Amino acid sequence: MTDRPEGSAPATADSEAQTETTIDRVNEGTSTLNNVLAAVVALGGIAGGVVGFLAEIPNDVRPFILAALGICASILTYRSLSMQANSPRAALSMQRRKSIVFQGLIPWLVLTMLAAVWVWPDSKDADEPEKDAKSPASTPSLSAKGLSAAISAVKDGIRYPDLSGDKIHACITVSGISKIPAGFQVWVMHKNGTKDGPAGDLYFNVRKADPEEGSNKWKTEQFSVGNGSKDVGSYFWIFLYLVPDPTGDVLSTLQDPPTFKKTPADPPISAHLITTIPVIKNDNICPKV
């Protein structure tokens, strides 16, 4: 029988203990790294939520983003738990088990809070009807008497062309001095015609009269009347309308200059006729503004 050298057993035990300690430290280090990565993913989710609100990410895209974050966090958490559970130590203390479970729950708790914060405002908004840019209550309205007075005031304030009729150049600017009632706009257009009245069913060169800041003056931009030198000496009729803001805003988005096909007795929708002015095209000149 060969005797075992003295001291070999303790040396082997010490070596195994050192190896176990080294492996355990590596496992703990890997576990810590995984936990850090899981925390980064969770914090990234919070940052993504903030960016989502600012960038107005569509609602149908948000669930996919949250799902991707959840998958990443679950994979990292699973790896962390597996590394710690497979430690070479014979048993894990109860405190250690609780720590593992707690660390595994952190990403899920954060993602749950993120989902609630991210989705809640949308749910709240969905319960509320959309508000128009201009609610009916904020749009001024006039009584029949007030509307009639406003139309008369704008008509009396017209400075060009003269209400009784003018000889005009091929390009004109319609202008006036009067207060335009709140919630309304003045729009100008013209028709072909004769001395007896307007003819045809087309309104040409529809233009808005812009108020001058700080005063009651208003005027349109310069626009042409007629078709060059071919209709010099012909009659035209200038139409002025008082138009509610919503209608005027729609007119502003139309092709410049828009042309309306209407019958003489059928003015633009929601418009109130101020007056019509007969004019004679005297030449083919467009004055410099």
Side-chain angles (χ1 to χ4, degrees):
M1 178 180 293
T2 304
D3 294 333
R4 179 180 296 177
E6 250 181 67
S8 61
T12 302
D14 290 342
S15 176
E16 291 177 354
Q18 291 177 1
T19 301
E20 182 179 344
T21 301
T22 301
I23 294 174
D24 196 48
R25 287 178 179 176
V26 171
N27 289 335
E28 289 182 355
T30 304
S31 173
T32 301
L33 176 61
N34 285 328
N35 287 334
V36 170
L37 291 175
V40 169
V41 171
L43 292 176
I46 296 175
V50 175
V51 173
F53 282 123
L54 297 178
E56 297 182 353
I57 294 178
N59 293 342
D60 55 351
V61 176
R62 293 184 181 183
F64 293 101
I65 297 177
L66 287 175
L69 292 173
I71 292 172
C72 292
S74 63
I75 292 174
L76 292 173
T77 302
Y78 175 77
R79 290 183 59 190
S80 174
L81 293 174
S82 296
M83 293 295 294
Q84 295 184 49
N86 293 328
S87 172
R89 293 180 178 179
L92 295 172
S93 66
M94 182 60 68
Q95 184 66 27
R96 189 61 173 167
R97 291 178 185 274
K98 290 181 179 179
S99 176
I100 292 174
V101 174
F102 178 73
Q103 292 174 15
L105 288 177
I106 288 178
W108 290 106
L109 291 174
V110 173
L111 286 173
T112 301
M113 293 173 61
L114 169 62
V117 172
W118 204 358
V119 175
W120 175 253
D122 293 331
S123 300
K124 182 179 179 181
D125 294 341
D127 294 334
E128 297 179 358
E130 291 186 2
K131 296 180 179 179
D132 295 333
K134 291 182 179 181
S135 62
S138 64
T139 302
S141 59
L142 292 175
S143 63
K145 184 177 180 180
L147 181 61
S148 177
I151 290 173
S152 297
V154 174
K155 178 180 178 180
D156 294 341
I158 295 174
R159 292 295 178 265
Y160 187 85
D162 187 270
L163 288 175
S164 60
D166 261 333
K167 290 184 176 181
I168 63 168
H169 295 297
C171 299
I172 65 171
T173 297
V174 178
S175 60
I177 302 177
S178 59
K179 183 178 180 180
I180 300 175
F184 289 86
Q185 304 169 11
V186 172
W187 282 77
V188 178
M189 56 200 78
H190 73 274
K191 276 190 173 188
N192 299 332
T194 65
K195 183 178 181 180
D196 297 327
D201 58 358
L202 293 178
Y203 291 93
F204 296 98
N205 278 339
V206 181
R207 306 285 177 172
K208 179 185 176 184
D210 294 313
E212 183 178 305
E213 189 174 354
S215 73
N216 287 337
K217 294 181 180 180
W218 51 264
K219 66 178 181 179
T220 66
E221 62 182 359
Q222 189 180 73
F223 62 91
S224 62
V225 176
N227 188 19
S229 60
K230 298 179 181 179
D231 46 23
V232 171
S234 299
Y235 272 90
F236 295 89
W237 288 76
I238 308 297
F239 285 72
L240 284 85
Y241 284 98
L242 190 64
V243 177
D245 278 344
T247 303
D249 293 342
V250 172
L251 292 177
S252 297
T253 66
L254 300 180
Q255 179 184 354
D256 183 27
T259 298
F260 289 111
K261 186 175 182 179
K262 294 283 185 179
T263 63
D266 185 17
I269 298 173
S270 300
H272 307 280
L273 181 64
I274 297 173
T275 190
T276 58
I277 305 174
V279 294
I280 300 176
K281 184 175 177 180
N282 194 48
D283 52 47
N284 194 34
I285 298 173
C286 283
K288 293 183 178 179
V289 178

